[in-house]
Every structure is written in structure tokens, then in C-alpha cells.
Amino acid sequence: MKERFVKYPFQGNTHGLTMFEVTHVYQLTPPPPELYPVNEYIVAAQTWHDLRFFAYFLHHIEPRLNSRVRNFLLREGLDKYDPERFLDYKQSCVLAMLECLESYAPYKGAEFLTYAHHAIGNALIQCRMMEESGSFSSLDEYKRVRGIAWLYNETGKSKGEVVSEYAAREGCSEETAEQYLTVARFNRSQVSLYVTAQDEDGEETGEDVTRDDSWDYTAILWNGSQAATVRAAFEKLSYREQRLLEERNAICMTCGRVSPISERTSFVELAVMFEGSTASGAERAYQRAVEKLTVLLVEAGALHAVRLRRKSVKRIKKKIAAAVYEYQADCDGEWGEIQVDFVSGTAEIVRLAEWDTMVSKVFAKRVIRYLIQTPQEKIVKTELIPFKEI
């Protein structure tokens, strides 16, 4: 288009793409002629066989497209602030719309975005499928795996009950259903697996398929999408620290095998394994190993963490009514401060860490959510809270 240009071209920043760039990639200058409704751009593109009108369409619907991608990433537990990933998902949606353009029939009364809604959803799910550690022969197979994973997680039923129910609902054999569940459970041991379903409004909703019997650091110790980074951090630990983490989490860092939680080693057994230690001593050693590995992974950029420490408390009848906490983003830099009123269930950010109004605020909100949702008896004076995405 000689008469129009990209309004916000990529700057080639040494730090990579920015979120502003990838969320404004289809903005044009000067703005395209206004047509109402915007569906008229699609009609014009079909009538004149001119993709310029499709570009004009993207210019106007880009905020809605951004919202669709952002919501999907949030439901999948992925980082919505990762520009490269965001752009990949977004471009896949645009390609899906282009494929729908030729077969779209405006005279049938449906808006183009309504017509392409399912195709866009499939494009997002296919992007997610490509990031999973498991291998899937098709998008349909991946959807079935997600479906039985959701059923397994949501109902809390036994494996046999879930297999029977899924087979009856989908009209497949129990042997096939069991294969899908086996794939889902294996994939869950490597990376998080989420399921997308349709809510009452036709929008997609996601559910985490990890069961309540999962434990905190298995996904950190063995992450299929960042295995090399995790191994490099793990190798920096001492032999004792490595054994503590592997035995306690029932995982082999050499092959990635994750055993059932019932097979993990108790702290009493760890104390016997490392002579001269008590069960409480083994537990403290394990927690120190966990913290050390967490810090190494934060430094490597594999995950994020908030270091939390309690500054002061106000008690009413021996129960903590309010408290002041300091927090540090990614274990480095100046500390921020948060006041929490446990009686009213409210919190206030007094000072942002590093005085950063962007990223640090995200960490502060993580801390607040943790403090409000966690029972007081489980909140210790100092703590390191890891999480995968900002």
C-alpha cells in the first residue's frame, strides 16, 4: 500500500520486541477510510479481490484481536507480557482469518468475526499444542486429550471412572479414552496442560488440569519447554542438594521420569539417608535447596519469584489483624512495601519495589493475592514465592 504506512514500525531494539509494538502491528497511517460496520471492509475485500481492505479491517479490529489473544494466554497460564509469543499467537489468528475470507458468505447474515470465531480458537489452541512437551498427531487429538484432562481434574473421579465416562460421552472405546488420559497425565508431568471449553456466551474458558495431588516443585525441577535451563541450574547445586530435591519430589533429573507422589521420600527417610540429620533438619535442608534452585532459575530467566518478609504486625486476641510486608522482585534490587488488613481482606501498596510502576506492580499484586488467599497459619515471616509468568 503506497498510500499508507505502518504507524508503529518495529524499532529493532536490542532487547527485542516490545508489547506496544506487537499490540499495534496493524495500525496504519494515515488511517483508512471509515466504513460502518467494519464488516464492510471484508465485503469490499471479497468484491474487489483486494487485500488492502483486509488490512483496513485489521486496523480497526486489532484491539479486539489483542484481547482475544491476551485472554487465551491468561487462561492457559502463559505470559501475556511476552512480546514474541504474543505476536506468534496473533499472527496465527490473522492467518486463520485469511483462510476464512474466501469461504465467507456475507449474505447469510453472520459477521465475519463471528464466522471466523471457531477458526481463530483453533489457531490459538494449535499454537498452544506446539508448545506442549507431548507429541500429538493432530489438533483433534490434542483437543481430545485436553477434554479428558479437564474431566479428570474437574470431577476428581478415579482413572477408571473418568475413562468410562469419557468413552460413553464421546462414543469411543475405553481403550482409546485410556490412551488419551495417559497422554494427558504424562504431559502434565512435563509442563502445565490447560483445557479450553465453551462458556455460555460462546467464549473460551480454560482450566488447569493439574490435580490437587501435585506438589510444588516438580514442574520447576523438570520443565519440558526449558529443560536445558533447568538442568544447567540443577547442576550448580551440590550433590546433597540434588539428592534432596530428587528424592523428595520423586523425580529423576537424568531422564525426566516423574513417579507418583506416594513414592516420594519422607523427611524421616531423608534424615536416615544423610546420617547425622533429624527429620526437621532434613526438611530445612530441603527448603534451602529449593530456595537456591529457585534463585538460580530466576537468574537464568526461567521463572520469576518474590522474596517476602514481614516487617510488623498488629494482633487482636492473639490473631494477626494487620501486617506490613516488604517484597523484592526477582530476588534483587530495592524492596517495596505492602500493608495488609486481614480483617477486611484488603491491601495497599505503600511503595513499589525499585519504584517501578510497570513490572514491579505486577509482582506487588502477586504478593497481595498470595497474602489475601493464603491462611494466616501458613504465612511465615520470610518466604520466597516462585511463579512461572508475570
Side-chain angles (χ1 to χ4, degrees):
M1 295 182 294
K2 295 182 180 180
E3 72 279 10
R4 287 183 175 80
F5 304 92
V6 176
K7 188 174 183 180
Y8 304 105
F10 294 159
Q11 299 299 312
N13 193 304
T14 55
H15 299 293
L17 296 174
T18 66
M19 283 304 299
F20 182 86
E21 288 173 343
V22 301
T23 54
H24 293 77
V25 69
Y26 296 117
Q27 295 304 295
L28 301 173
T29 185
E34 291 191 13
L35 293 179
Y36 185 80
V38 293
N39 204 65
E40 292 300 315
Y41 291 113
I42 298 298
V43 176
Q46 284 189 324
T47 303
W48 301 103
H49 302 286
D50 191 341
L51 288 180
R52 285 183 302 171
F53 292 100
F54 184 74
Y56 300 161
F57 174 77
L58 292 178
H59 170 91
H60 286 285
I61 63 97
E62 188 168 25
R64 294 171 66 180
L65 182 58
N66 289 335
S67 178
R68 182 83 186 269
V69 175
R70 187 179 295 111
N71 289 339
F72 182 85
L73 293 175
L74 282 171
R75 288 190 294 268
E76 293 293 305
L78 300 174
D79 185 0
K80 67 175 182 177
Y81 296 110
D82 182 343
E84 285 77 12
R85 172 185 275 154
F86 194 99
L87 185 58
D88 284 344
Y89 277 70
K90 187 174 174 179
Q91 294 287 62
S92 295
C93 293
V94 173
L95 288 175
M97 285 190 284
L98 275 171
E99 291 176 357
C100 291
L101 184 60
E102 186 175 351
S103 59
Y104 172 61
Y107 63 85
K108 291 186 177 180
E111 295 289 326
F112 179 71
L113 281 179
T114 302
Y115 174 75
H117 183 89
H118 183 70
I120 293 172
N122 279 345
L124 292 168
I125 295 173
Q126 186 152 22
C127 283
R128 182 69 180 108
M129 180 183 76
M130 299 304 292
E131 292 186 329
E132 297 282 12
S133 64
S135 178
F136 304 93
S137 60
S138 66
L139 182 61
D140 286 338
E141 182 190 26
Y142 180 57
K143 285 183 174 181
R144 295 186 188 103
V145 169
R146 289 162 69 93
I148 198 168
W150 176 85
L151 186 64
Y152 179 67
N153 177 68
E154 193 70 11
T155 62
K157 296 179 179 178
S158 68
K159 176 182 174 181
E161 291 174 321
V162 169
V163 166
S164 298
E165 183 175 337
Y166 182 84
R169 189 178 72 182
E170 299 297 326
C172 65
S173 67
E174 291 194 2
E175 182 181 359
T176 300
E178 186 172 359
Q179 289 176 353
Y180 290 148
L181 183 56
T182 299
V183 172
R185 295 175 73 184
F186 170 78
N187 203 70
R188 164 231 169 184
S189 297
Q190 302 295 313
V191 293
S192 298
L193 178 66
Y194 286 70
V195 61
T196 302
Q198 295 291 323
D199 64 14
E200 294 178 356
D201 298 324
E203 291 296 325
E204 294 170 338
T205 58
E207 297 294 341
D208 184 359
V209 305
T210 52
R211 295 290 295 264
D212 291 339
D213 60 3
S214 62
W215 53 99
D216 292 340
Y217 286 91
T218 300
I220 294 176
L221 285 171
W222 184 265
N223 187 320
S225 61
Q226 299 191 52
T229 304
V230 175
R231 283 199 196 96
F234 187 78
E235 289 171 0
K236 293 179 181 179
L237 301 176
S238 68
Y239 173 76
R240 176 188 172 97
E241 291 167 336
Q242 291 177 353
R243 287 295 305 278
L244 281 168
L245 291 170
E246 286 188 314
E247 295 293 335
R248 180 59 182 167
N249 290 285
I251 186 171
C252 174
M253 282 300 296
T254 303
C255 65
R257 176 186 55 81
V258 180
S259 301
I261 191 172
S262 58
E263 295 183 13
R264 69 176 181 175
T265 307
S266 69
F267 288 119
V268 173
E269 292 170 322
L270 287 174
V272 174
M273 186 181 299
F274 298 99
E275 297 178 6
S277 175
T278 62
S280 59
E283 183 174 2
R284 288 194 298 271
Y286 167 76
Q287 294 298 340
R288 286 195 296 270
V290 165
E291 181 168 331
K292 185 175 178 180
L293 178 63
T294 301
V295 173
L296 288 171
L297 290 172
V298 168
E299 292 174 353
L303 59 102
H304 299 281
V306 176
R307 196 179 292 279
L308 187 65
R309 64 188 183 192
R310 193 165 66 202
K311 186 177 179 181
S312 61
V313 296
K314 177 182 179 182
R315 300 179 184 272
I316 297 179
K317 295 181 179 179
K318 297 184 179 181
K319 290 191 66 176
I320 299 177
V324 176
Y325 290 89
E326 292 181 317
Y327 78 97
Q328 188 182 47
D330 276 344
C331 311
D332 187 35
E334 296 184 13
W335 293 71
E337 187 173 299
I338 295 171
Q339 291 182 349
V340 183
D341 187 333
F342 290 106
V343 177
S344 63
T346 59
E348 177 186 357
I349 301 173
V350 179
R351 183 178 68 254
L352 288 170
E354 296 288 320
W355 296 97
D356 183 347
T357 59
M358 297 296 290
V359 177
S360 178
K361 192 169 184 179
V362 177
F363 282 85
K365 289 181 177 179
R366 286 267 183 174
V367 171
I368 290 173
R369 185 162 65 247
Y370 171 79
L371 292 172
I372 295 297
Q373 295 178 351
T374 305
Q376 287 188 32
E377 61 272 12
K378 293 187 177 181
I379 302 176
V380 296
K381 290 184 178 179
T382 60
E383 194 163 358
L384 186 63
I385 309 168
F387 55 94
K388 289 184 180 180
E389 312 290 351
I390 292 182

